[in-house]
Amino acid sequence: MTATTAPASTETTRQLARQQSWWERSNKATMVMAGVTAAVCVFFALASDTFLTFANVSNLATQVAPVLIVAVAMTFVITAGQIDLSVGSIIAFVSAVSAQLLAAGWDSSIVLIAGLVMGAGWGMVNGWFTAYAGIPAFIVTLATLSVIRGIALLTTQGFSVPIDFDTFFAQLGSARWLGLSSSAWIALVVVVLGLVVLHRTPFGQYVIGTGAAEESVRRAGVNVRRVKLMALTLSGLAAGIAGILVAARLGSGSANSAQGFELTVIAAVVLGGTSLFGGRGTVVGTLIGAILITVIANGLTLVGVSPFLTPIITGTVLLAVIWVNLRGKDIGQALRSLVAGR
Amino acid sequence: MAGETEDLLVELKGITKSYGPVQSLRGVDLTLRRGEVLGLVGDNGAGKSTLMKVLAGAVQHGGGEIRVHGRPVRFANPADAQAEKIGIVYQDLALCDTIDVAGNLFLGREPRKGPFIDRRTMHEQAAQILSDLHVKVSSTHQEIGTLSGGQRQTVAIARAVSFKPDVLILDEPTAALAVAEVESVLRLITDVAARGVGVILITHRLQDLFRVCDRITVMYEGQSVDDVPIDQLDIEKLVALITRSEPQKAQKEVSP
């Protein structure tokens, strides 16, 4: 299929194919966010003695894990030009149903697999209606947001279902390795996987292309419906993982958990520099966005201000960052002239 | 250049196409030879684009016959036409703005190393394709969205050429381009034809036809009405053929 097999030999072709500089390649919105996150961390380190202790950093890693796991998958969904509002409900569903299955005497290993299958299954439901029935993902997942949590509420009657501490499932929640919780390690693995898949594989390329110009990718012979189905299946699967971890850590499964979780996740993704309009995504940015949101909540608690300030500040930062991103080019130019002028 | 039958790439005979009661093609004849640039002209609604969609497999014709390399064929979809080595660059170019030049050239057929895209190979091959065709971009790592209209057009044509087509259809490649950019697109068309590809050029810019075409086929109300070598035409005669009026009258109508 390829047109030429001979390696580029002439000077011009080598010149054409040369890698761009690090500055040219970097996502400017993500750089801004990295700066903001660093500044916020420095502020809290100065304002609170405990912020930079290992215990708190380890705690931060555990807190950020569920958001981060789902946010990495959401990066794919949003980059493909879709949205998934149902992730919070899937977490509630998986945690509640897993707890019920354990209570019914199922073995932990089977419940773990069931949790993943349930998450991916709901993702496929979202994906099928979006990609094959042609209903916008916003509408589909708005509907399943309601349905999925509704089923969880119906089966548990709204009660929290306790998980026996002796089960492997519950021990997963308290397991630690090198001072970090199992959640944190799993999140790290998910981030690395997300990075590789989005930026190194054909699937990642098609996710980006689908968000940028779906029709162009379709005409290139790519099955864009399958790409969309897979993206939404990934976010369902990630929500399944997060649901298991949340239930394991709390030692109970509740249909009321993770209310509004989808908004935190979407905020983390958008803060990182992924375009809500699709076609441009960054897993590193999502990592930074998720950390920033968690650090704000954690830091404000340590500093001892009213907990009700947290949503106000988080929302304000989100709005400010979107404003900055929309003017990203101007700011990039300003930064460049600043660097050049030095 | 002229008429040896083995050079004949495409023959269309009496092609018709109806959309419900509307007959948009009412018997079109067209021939294309190897290494030839054929200009396809006609007023808006004359059926040029429909005819090209038929030839590219995007639309299925009603009656008439398509022969490629002398064999009668019928295209059910664009893949069938591509298998017969017929390529088309639509006006919207079908590029992805947020993907780089190399990624766009190889979209859907990325060179792989295991499960991963072999970016190194992809960029090297992309650079090779672009320098072979003298396409001017500063780097294969540039995002398509940052390119000028002319650069985007040439990248889209390079992409079509990289499939090694025998026939390349270009739909208004020079519309809305700056003067210097029109030049680079026209030069690219000549280069492509020099490699033995038969090029069909649809354009409203009549001056471009005189720069690159060997022959002009004129369409009028869904029919092919004239097939004239370019050296027998000047711009006034061409306008007259398109509008189906006398040259003198046409001159009056057209001149500003």
Side-chain angles (χ1 to χ4, degrees):
Chain A
M1 281 293 272
T2 51
T4 43
T5 42
S9 50
T10 65
E11 185 52 37
T12 43
T13 51
R14 210 172 311 127
Q15 194 67 26
L16 266 175
R18 85 182 191 291
Q19 185 59 266
Q20 286 175 300
S21 73
W22 181 80
W23 173 256
E24 282 175 299
R25 275 181 293 151
S26 59
N27 183 326
K28 304 304 177 295
T30 306
M31 305 257 301
V32 171
M33 279 325 298
V36 171
T37 306
V40 168
C41 286
V42 168
F43 172 79
F44 283 131
L46 294 175
S48 159
D49 295 336
T50 44
F51 182 76
L52 272 188
T53 58
F54 182 78
N56 189 51
V57 172
S58 163
N59 182 31
L60 259 173
T62 305
Q63 283 177 352
V64 80
V67 175
L68 187 52
I69 290 168
V70 180
V72 167
M74 187 70 83
T75 305
F76 283 77
V77 172
I78 293 179
T79 303
Q82 314 298 314
I83 194 86
D84 188 349
L85 300 175
S86 70
V87 286
S89 296
I90 295 177
I91 289 177
F93 181 91
V94 169
S95 75
V97 173
S98 296
Q100 285 174 301
L101 292 179
L102 287 167
W106 287 38
D107 188 69
S108 289
S109 56
I110 298 175
V111 174
L112 286 176
I113 294 168
L116 299 180
V117 170
M118 286 186 284
W122 281 121
M124 283 174 89
V125 170
N126 287 334
W128 186 83
F129 277 108
T130 302
Y132 291 88
I135 306 171
F138 185 91
I139 307 293
V140 171
T141 57
L142 191 61
T144 52
L145 169 150
S146 171
V147 170
I148 296 169
R149 191 180 293 277
I151 297 174
L153 284 167
L154 193 66
T155 55
T156 60
Q157 290 300 307
F159 292 111
S160 173
V161 182
I163 296 172
D164 191 344
F165 273 113
D166 294 337
T167 58
F168 170 71
F169 191 98
Q171 281 160 6
L172 185 70
S174 50
R176 286 182 169 269
W177 189 53
L178 299 178
L180 293 177
S181 65
S182 54
S183 299
W185 286 109
I186 291 171
L188 186 67
V189 170
V190 169
V191 168
V192 172
L193 277 178
L195 263 173
V196 170
V197 172
L198 184 61
H199 300 298
R200 291 279 173 269
T201 67
F203 173 69
Q205 185 89 328
Y206 302 153
V207 164
I208 296 169
T210 302
E214 186 179 334
E215 177 63 14
S216 301
V217 181
R218 192 186 67 77
R219 275 202 230 142
V222 176
N223 187 343
V224 289
R225 289 177 162 187
R226 219 186 72 203
V227 171
K228 289 198 270 187
L229 173 71
M230 282 178 60
L232 283 159
T233 304
L234 277 182
S235 65
L237 176 65
I241 296 172
I244 290 170
L245 294 177
V246 166
R249 190 155 57 88
L250 298 180
S252 70
S254 166
N256 290 306
S257 57
Q259 303 260 20
F261 186 85
E262 58 280 349
L263 299 181
T264 309
V265 167
I266 293 168
V269 173
V270 174
L271 273 174
T274 294
S275 165
L276 253 187
F277 307 109
R280 203 178 290 283
T282 154
V283 173
V284 173
T286 297
L287 171 67
I288 294 169
I291 289 175
L292 178 62
I293 286 181
T294 313
V295 163
I296 290 175
N298 175 285
L300 288 177
T301 313
L302 289 183
V303 173
V305 299
S306 163
F308 302 119
L309 266 178
T310 307
I312 299 174
I313 293 178
T314 309
T316 309
V317 170
L318 180 64
L319 200 58
V321 165
I322 301 302
W323 186 82
V324 166
N325 281 358
L326 282 177
R327 285 154 187 76
K329 261 199 191 120
D330 309 343
I331 289 169
Q333 258 156 17
L335 280 175
R336 213 166 310 153
S337 62
L338 216 75
V339 171
R342 200 169 286 165
Chain B
M1 175 190 118
E4 298 114 45
T5 37
E6 62 264 32
D7 268 0
L8 215 53
L9 287 174
V10 175
E11 262 180 299
L12 304 183
K13 278 210 185 94
I15 301 292
T16 62
K17 170 72 191 173
S18 304
Y19 292 99
V22 183
Q23 217 180 1
S24 82
L25 296 179
R26 303 183 299 156
V28 182
D29 301 335
L30 180 148
T31 56
L32 181 69
R33 292 184 186 81
R34 191 166 281 286
E36 179 183 47
V37 182
L38 173 71
L40 186 63
V41 297
D43 242 328
N44 291 337
K48 302 175 302 250
S49 290
T50 308
L51 181 67
M52 289 305 106
K53 281 180 187 159
V54 165
L55 188 51
V59 162
Q60 280 66 55
H61 60 286
E65 190 184 41
I66 303 178
R67 280 173 175 270
V68 177
H69 296 296
R71 275 179 301 112
V73 293
R74 192 167 183 91
F75 301 140
N77 53 51
D80 285 356
Q82 214 165 58
E84 289 290 342
K85 296 187 155 268
I86 295 174
I88 184 163
V89 179
Y90 289 102
Q91 244 178 306
D92 67 3
L93 304 185
L95 298 171
C96 288
D97 276 358
T98 57
I99 292 179
D100 61 21
V101 170
N104 267 284
L105 281 172
F106 285 96
L107 191 62
R109 49 175 181 141
E110 292 81 1
R112 296 183 191 196
K113 205 184 259 173
F116 306 115
I117 297 180
D118 185 352
R119 292 211 179 260
R120 200 188 151 83
T121 306
M122 186 168 85
H123 282 281
E124 279 175 2
Q125 293 187 355
Q128 189 75 54
I129 292 169
L130 295 178
S131 65
D132 281 356
L133 292 170
H134 311 291
V135 171
K136 286 201 174 58
V137 296
S138 66
S139 164
T140 55
H141 294 272
Q142 256 187 308
E143 275 185 16
I144 287 289
T146 65
L147 299 182
S148 72
Q151 286 175 317
R152 294 162 57 91
Q153 184 71 52
T154 49
V155 169
I157 295 174
R159 174 181 154 76
V161 170
S162 72
F163 282 94
K164 301 212 166 215
D166 284 338
V167 177
L168 181 60
I169 304 166
L170 302 176
D171 193 357
E172 295 284 0
T174 51
L177 292 188
V179 179
E181 297 186 326
V182 170
E183 287 306 310
S184 66
V185 172
L186 293 182
R187 209 174 311 127
L188 178 54
I189 293 172
T190 320
D191 279 359
V192 171
R195 300 170 151 220
V197 178
V199 180
I200 301 180
L201 174 62
I202 302 179
T203 183
H204 279 105
R205 288 172 47 96
L206 301 183
Q207 66 272 39
D208 292 351
L209 295 169
F210 289 95
R211 293 281 311 282
V212 295
C213 289
D214 302 305
R215 202 156 50 84
I216 304 284
T217 292
V218 183
M219 289 185 67
Y220 186 76
E221 294 186 349
Q223 286 178 300
S224 52
V225 288
D226 278 298
D227 183 36
V228 193
I230 197 77
D231 45 25
Q232 294 176 16
L233 287 172
D234 56 35
I235 205 146
E236 284 157 26
K237 281 186 195 153
L238 184 54
V239 169
L241 289 178
I242 294 169
T243 57
R244 312 312 291 165
S245 56
E246 296 303 311
Q248 299 82 1
K249 196 176 150 214
Q251 202 176 7
K252 255 181 265 159
E253 276 174 7
V254 168
S255 59

